[in-house]
Amino acid sequence: MEYSYPFSTDWSTEEIVDVIQFFEGIEKAYEKGIKREVMLAKYRRFKEIVPSQAEEKSIFREFEEASGYISYPVVKQTKEAEDGAIIKVVPKNGR
């Protein structure tokens, strides 16, 4: 798929790369699954860059509009799962 990832011009190049890697983890959770520990590390880094809940929701919404992937179910499943689990989200619309 071709779309652009949401980012802030205030972020460093490293932060932009880390946020893109987080969203690639979201994509992977939908497409084939991702280890919980890997996704959790990506989310923790994302939260270092985007500590505000309001900004997180805004960025998640931008990503969903661009990609069709909803970030929240992946994050929720990641937080609730145990170590060693594979995070795999099945879209409700069968996409």
Side-chain angles (χ1 to χ4, degrees):
M1 261 190 242
E2 289 295 319
Y3 48 84
S4 55
Y5 294 94
F7 69 91
S8 170
T9 54
D10 296 335
W11 298 342
S12 70
T13 302
E14 180 184 346
E15 289 171 329
I16 292 170
V17 168
D18 290 343
V19 168
I20 289 171
Q21 288 176 344
F22 166 73
F23 284 118
E24 288 173 342
I26 298 291
E27 294 165 357
K28 196 170 180 183
Y30 277 92
E31 293 166 5
K32 53 188 165 199
I34 184 169
K35 283 191 78 166
R36 176 191 183 263
E37 297 82 355
V38 173
M39 192 64 228
L40 190 58
K42 290 177 185 298
Y43 180 65
R44 285 182 176 149
R45 177 61 179 136
F46 174 81
K47 287 306 290 177
E48 289 173 7
I49 301 164
V50 185
S52 157
Q53 192 75 29
E55 189 179 2
E56 175 182 308
K57 286 181 178 180
S58 174
I59 291 171
F60 280 7
R61 199 169 24 256
E62 279 182 54
F63 179 66
E64 181 182 349
E65 288 170 7
S67 69
Y69 293 114
I70 305 170
S71 302
Y72 178 74
V74 177
V75 171
K76 183 175 188 289
Q77 201 178 115
T78 299
K79 288 178 178 179
E80 294 173 353
E82 294 184 17
D83 281 352
I86 299 295
I87 306 304
K88 177 84 170 99
V89 177
V90 178
K92 286 186 171 58
N93 64 3
R95 186 170 81 80

